Amino acid sequence: MKLEAVDYNAPDAAERFVESLRNTGFGVLKNHPIQQQLVQSIYDNWHGFFSTEEKEIFRFNVDTQDGFFPSEVSEVAKGHTKKDIKEYFHYYPWGQCPDILKAELQRYYEEANKLASQLLGWVEEHSPANVSGLYSQPLSSMIDGSEKTLLRVLHYPPLKGDEELGAIRAGAHEDINLLTVLPAANEPGLQVLTKEGEWLDVPCDFGNLIINIGDMLQEASGGYFPSTTHRVINPEGADKTKARISLPLFLHPKPEVVLSDRHTANSYLMERLRELGVI
């Protein structure tokens, strides 16, 4: 089994993309509208940010969860005991951000949100009638005006060889949100768990866009679209002395959006954050 990139401009792109999401929880797009130069520039500029002590000025706000999260407060994936080997910055348009980096990051935030809205439209268009009937409102409208959608700038530092035994860059986990949009990173390592229980490498060709389903879309679709377990390993044969930057956009509905009989977006998010020990 292999994940194949779908050409965004192909006449059957929507159908093939949604089929991939349904089968694997992941879809990979090539020839999409987000410019590689913009992504590369963000990688370069934030690589510089993470290498300075200035990052401590932007330490995260506990109440609002925006800003810089150092490696000592890095996440422990649900069901794991080892902290992930990473640090990251949470960007919201309303939140803190270095002035010199904000305009570029906001541009990416807007472009990625626009594309993500279209992709949610594809998902709805190719949902069977019994599944689309479960959606409390059009999927793309769930994120319209949402202040919860999060852009995370992730920095996986170079590996020194003295890392805690068993720790990897990001432990196996599922995402909480509707969809996650991720430009292929500058280093390999992202893997997805197949239905057969095997780890599958996600194509990391620079210029690809990787999209995966989160728990909220699984909840809203009654389980039709699976929120798939994925992880970031320390890949064999890769240059472990290289830092790795990653730029996931986590699409979150407005808090009041009804996902299912059991949950609004807010009640679901709070439940998951409590499980993770973040709140």
Side-chain angles (χ1 to χ4, degrees), residues 240-271:
K240 296 179 184 179
T241 64
K242 278 188 182 177
R244 187 172 182 273
I245 296 276
S246 183
L247 202 59
L249 181 78
F250 300 104
L251 288 179
H252 278 273
K254 297 181 287 286
E256 67 275 12
V257 165
V258 175
L259 296 176
S260 66
D261 293 340
R262 302 186 303 162
H263 280 297
T264 63
N266 184 62
S267 72
Y268 198 82
L269 177 62
M270 291 303 110
E271 179 181 283

Short mmCIF file of all heavy atoms in Angstrom, two decimals, residues 240-271:
data_model
loop_
_atom_site.label_atom_id
_atom_site.label_comp_id
_atom_site.label_asym_id
_atom_site.label_seq_id
_atom_site.Cartn_x
_atom_site.Cartn_y
_atom_site.Cartn_z
N LYS A 240 20.40 13.13 10.92
CA LYS A 240 19.79 13.48 12.21
C LYS A 240 20.39 14.75 12.81
O LYS A 240 19.93 15.24 13.83
CB LYS A 240 19.93 12.31 13.18
CG LYS A 240 19.17 11.07 12.71
CD LYS A 240 19.34 9.91 13.66
CE LYS A 240 18.64 8.67 13.09
NZ LYS A 240 18.78 7.50 13.95
N THR A 241 21.44 15.26 12.17
CA THR A 241 22.02 16.51 12.67
C THR A 241 21.24 17.71 12.13
O THR A 241 21.51 18.84 12.52
CB THR A 241 23.49 16.65 12.24
OG1 THR A 241 23.57 16.72 10.81
CG2 THR A 241 24.31 15.46 12.73
N LYS A 242 20.28 17.46 11.24
CA LYS A 242 19.47 18.55 10.69
C LYS A 242 18.26 18.81 11.57
O LYS A 242 17.59 17.87 12.01
CB LYS A 242 18.96 18.17 9.29
CG LYS A 242 19.96 18.39 8.17
CD LYS A 242 19.24 18.16 6.85
CE LYS A 242 20.17 18.32 5.66
NZ LYS A 242 19.46 18.01 4.40
N ALA A 243 17.98 20.09 11.79
CA ALA A 243 16.72 20.45 12.42
C ALA A 243 15.58 20.20 11.43
O ALA A 243 15.80 20.14 10.22
CB ALA A 243 16.74 21.91 12.84
N ARG A 244 14.38 20.05 11.95
CA ARG A 244 13.23 19.84 11.08
C ARG A 244 12.16 20.85 11.48
O ARG A 244 11.82 20.97 12.65
CB ARG A 244 12.72 18.41 11.28
CG ARG A 244 11.62 17.97 10.33
CD ARG A 244 11.38 16.47 10.54
NE ARG A 244 10.37 15.94 9.64
CZ ARG A 244 9.07 15.94 9.90
NH1 ARG A 244 8.61 16.48 11.01
NH2 ARG A 244 8.21 15.43 9.04
N ILE A 245 11.68 21.61 10.49
CA ILE A 245 10.60 22.58 10.73
C ILE A 245 9.33 22.02 10.09
O ILE A 245 9.36 21.44 9.01
CB ILE A 245 10.92 23.95 10.10
CG1 ILE A 245 12.16 24.58 10.75
CG2 ILE A 245 9.73 24.90 10.20
CD1 ILE A 245 11.92 25.33 12.03
N SER A 246 8.22 22.19 10.77
CA SER A 246 6.95 21.69 10.28
C SER A 246 5.89 22.75 10.55
O SER A 246 6.00 23.50 11.52
CB SER A 246 6.63 20.38 11.00
OG SER A 246 5.44 19.81 10.53
N LEU A 247 4.86 22.82 9.69
CA LEU A 247 3.93 23.95 9.72
C LEU A 247 2.47 23.49 9.63
O LEU A 247 1.77 23.84 8.69
CB LEU A 247 4.29 24.87 8.55
CG LEU A 247 3.87 26.33 8.57
CD1 LEU A 247 4.44 27.07 9.76
CD2 LEU A 247 4.29 27.00 7.26
N PRO A 248 2.00 22.71 10.60
CA PRO A 248 0.62 22.24 10.51
C PRO A 248 -0.40 23.32 10.86
O PRO A 248 -0.22 24.08 11.82
CB PRO A 248 0.57 21.10 11.54
CG PRO A 248 1.63 21.44 12.53
CD PRO A 248 2.70 22.17 11.78
N LEU A 249 -1.47 23.37 10.07
CA LEU A 249 -2.62 24.22 10.36
C LEU A 249 -3.75 23.31 10.82
O LEU A 249 -4.17 22.42 10.08
CB LEU A 249 -3.06 25.00 9.12
CG LEU A 249 -4.25 25.94 9.33
CD1 LEU A 249 -3.82 27.22 10.03
CD2 LEU A 249 -4.93 26.28 7.99
N PHE A 250 -4.20 23.51 12.06
CA PHE A 250 -5.25 22.68 12.63
C PHE A 250 -6.59 23.43 12.51
O PHE A 250 -6.80 24.44 13.18
CB PHE A 250 -4.95 22.38 14.10
CG PHE A 250 -3.65 21.66 14.32
CD1 PHE A 250 -2.53 22.34 14.79
CD2 PHE A 250 -3.54 20.30 14.06
CE1 PHE A 250 -1.33 21.68 15.01
CE2 PHE A 250 -2.33 19.63 14.28
CZ PHE A 250 -1.23 20.32 14.75
N LEU A 251 -7.46 22.92 11.66
CA LEU A 251 -8.75 23.59 11.41
C LEU A 251 -9.73 23.28 12.53
O LEU A 251 -10.15 22.13 12.69
CB LEU A 251 -9.35 23.10 10.10
CG LEU A 251 -8.70 23.57 8.81
CD1 LEU A 251 -9.42 22.95 7.64
CD2 LEU A 251 -8.71 25.09 8.71
N HIS A 252 -10.10 24.32 13.27
CA HIS A 252 -11.04 24.15 14.37
C HIS A 252 -12.33 24.89 14.06
O HIS A 252 -12.31 26.05 13.66
CB HIS A 252 -10.45 24.70 15.67
CG HIS A 252 -9.53 23.74 16.35
ND1 HIS A 252 -9.98 22.80 17.25
CD2 HIS A 252 -8.19 23.57 16.26
CE1 HIS A 252 -8.95 22.09 17.69
NE2 HIS A 252 -7.85 22.53 17.10
N PRO A 253 -13.48 24.25 14.29
CA PRO A 253 -14.75 24.94 14.11
C PRO A 253 -14.94 26.01 15.18
O PRO A 253 -14.22 26.06 16.18
CB PRO A 253 -15.79 23.83 14.31
CG PRO A 253 -15.05 22.54 14.34
CD PRO A 253 -13.65 22.86 14.74
N LYS A 254 -15.92 26.86 14.95
CA LYS A 254 -16.34 27.79 16.00
C LYS A 254 -16.84 26.96 17.19
O LYS A 254 -17.40 25.88 17.00
CB LYS A 254 -17.45 28.71 15.47
CG LYS A 254 -17.01 29.61 14.31
CD LYS A 254 -18.11 30.52 13.83
CE LYS A 254 -19.20 29.79 13.06
NZ LYS A 254 -18.80 29.39 11.70
N PRO A 255 -16.64 27.44 18.41
CA PRO A 255 -16.94 26.63 19.60
C PRO A 255 -18.38 26.09 19.66
O PRO A 255 -18.61 24.99 20.16
CB PRO A 255 -16.67 27.59 20.77
CG PRO A 255 -15.69 28.57 20.24
CD PRO A 255 -16.03 28.74 18.79
N GLU A 256 -19.33 26.89 19.14
CA GLU A 256 -20.73 26.50 19.29
C GLU A 256 -21.20 25.49 18.23
O GLU A 256 -22.33 24.97 18.29
CB GLU A 256 -21.64 27.74 19.22
CG GLU A 256 -21.68 28.45 17.87
CD GLU A 256 -20.55 29.46 17.65
OE1 GLU A 256 -19.57 29.47 18.43
OE2 GLU A 256 -20.65 30.24 16.68
N VAL A 257 -20.35 25.18 17.25
CA VAL A 257 -20.74 24.25 16.18
C VAL A 257 -21.08 22.87 16.77
O VAL A 257 -20.34 22.32 17.59
CB VAL A 257 -19.61 24.11 15.13
CG1 VAL A 257 -19.84 22.91 14.22
CG2 VAL A 257 -19.51 25.39 14.31
N VAL A 258 -22.22 22.34 16.34
CA VAL A 258 -22.66 21.01 16.81
C VAL A 258 -21.99 19.95 15.94
O VAL A 258 -22.17 19.91 14.72
CB VAL A 258 -24.19 20.88 16.73
CG1 VAL A 258 -24.63 19.46 17.09
CG2 VAL A 258 -24.86 21.90 17.66
N LEU A 259 -21.20 19.09 16.58
CA LEU A 259 -20.54 18.00 15.86
C LEU A 259 -21.41 16.75 15.80
O LEU A 259 -21.42 16.03 14.80
CB LEU A 259 -19.21 17.64 16.53
CG LEU A 259 -18.12 18.72 16.54
CD1 LEU A 259 -16.91 18.23 17.35
CD2 LEU A 259 -17.69 19.09 15.12
N SER A 260 -22.12 16.47 16.89
CA SER A 260 -22.90 15.24 17.00
C SER A 260 -23.89 15.40 18.14
O SER A 260 -23.94 16.44 18.81
CB SER A 260 -21.96 14.05 17.30
OG SER A 260 -21.38 14.21 18.58
N ASP A 261 -24.65 14.35 18.40
CA ASP A 261 -25.59 14.38 19.53
C ASP A 261 -24.84 14.53 20.84
O ASP A 261 -25.38 15.05 21.82
CB ASP A 261 -26.41 13.08 19.58
CG ASP A 261 -27.36 12.96 18.40
OD1 ASP A 261 -27.65 14.01 17.78
OD2 ASP A 261 -27.80 11.84 18.09
N ARG A 262 -23.58 14.09 20.86
CA ARG A 262 -22.81 14.10 22.11
C ARG A 262 -22.03 15.38 22.34
O ARG A 262 -21.75 15.74 23.48
CB ARG A 262 -21.79 12.94 22.11
CG ARG A 262 -22.40 11.56 21.94
CD ARG A 262 -21.35 10.48 22.10
NE ARG A 262 -20.24 10.65 21.14
CZ ARG A 262 -19.05 10.08 21.28
NH1 ARG A 262 -18.79 9.37 22.37
NH2 ARG A 262 -18.11 10.25 20.37
N HIS A 263 -21.64 16.07 21.25
CA HIS A 263 -20.64 17.11 21.42
C HIS A 263 -20.85 18.34 20.54
O HIS A 263 -21.22 18.22 19.37
CB HIS A 263 -19.24 16.56 21.07
CG HIS A 263 -18.61 15.77 22.17
ND1 HIS A 263 -18.30 16.30 23.39
CD2 HIS A 263 -18.22 14.47 22.21
CE1 HIS A 263 -17.74 15.36 24.14
NE2 HIS A 263 -17.69 14.24 23.46
N THR A 264 -20.55 19.51 21.14
CA THR A 264 -20.22 20.69 20.34
C THR A 264 -18.71 20.68 20.14
O THR A 264 -17.99 19.90 20.78
CB THR A 264 -20.61 21.99 21.07
OG1 THR A 264 -19.84 22.08 22.28
CG2 THR A 264 -22.09 22.03 21.38
N ALA A 265 -18.23 21.57 19.28
CA ALA A 265 -16.78 21.65 19.06
C ALA A 265 -16.07 21.99 20.37
O ALA A 265 -15.00 21.44 20.67
CB ALA A 265 -16.47 22.70 17.99
N ASN A 266 -16.67 22.88 21.16
CA ASN A 266 -16.02 23.29 22.41
C ASN A 266 -15.98 22.15 23.43
O ASN A 266 -14.93 21.91 24.05
CB ASN A 266 -16.74 24.49 23.02
CG ASN A 266 -16.04 25.00 24.26
OD1 ASN A 266 -14.90 25.44 24.21
ND2 ASN A 266 -16.71 24.91 25.40
N SER A 267 -17.09 21.44 23.60
CA SER A 267 -17.10 20.38 24.61
C SER A 267 -16.13 19.26 24.22
O SER A 267 -15.47 18.67 25.07
CB SER A 267 -18.52 19.82 24.81
OG SER A 267 -18.93 19.02 23.69
N TYR A 268 -16.03 19.02 22.92
CA TYR A 268 -15.11 17.97 22.45
C TYR A 268 -13.66 18.39 22.67
O TYR A 268 -12.84 17.60 23.16
CB TYR A 268 -15.36 17.69 20.96
CG TYR A 268 -14.78 16.38 20.50
CD1 TYR A 268 -15.47 15.19 20.72
CD2 TYR A 268 -13.55 16.31 19.87
CE1 TYR A 268 -14.96 13.98 20.32
CE2 TYR A 268 -13.01 15.10 19.47
CZ TYR A 268 -13.73 13.94 19.69
OH TYR A 268 -13.20 12.73 19.31
N LEU A 269 -13.34 19.64 22.34
CA LEU A 269 -11.98 20.14 22.52
C LEU A 269 -11.58 20.10 23.99
O LEU A 269 -10.48 19.66 24.34
CB LEU A 269 -11.88 21.57 21.98
CG LEU A 269 -10.52 22.26 22.15
CD1 LEU A 269 -9.42 21.52 21.41
CD2 LEU A 269 -10.60 23.71 21.67
N MET A 270 -12.47 20.55 24.87
CA MET A 270 -12.15 20.57 26.30
C MET A 270 -11.91 19.16 26.84
O MET A 270 -10.99 18.92 27.62
CB MET A 270 -13.29 21.24 27.10
CG MET A 270 -13.43 22.73 26.85
SD MET A 270 -11.91 23.67 27.21
CE MET A 270 -11.39 24.14 25.57
N GLU A 271 -12.72 18.21 26.38
CA GLU A 271 -12.55 16.82 26.81
C GLU A 271 -11.17 16.29 26.41
O GLU A 271 -10.46 15.67 27.21
CB GLU A 271 -13.65 15.94 26.20
CG GLU A 271 -13.54 14.47 26.55
CD GLU A 271 -14.65 13.65 25.91
OE1 GLU A 271 -15.79 13.69 26.40
OE2 GLU A 271 -14.37 12.96 24.89
#
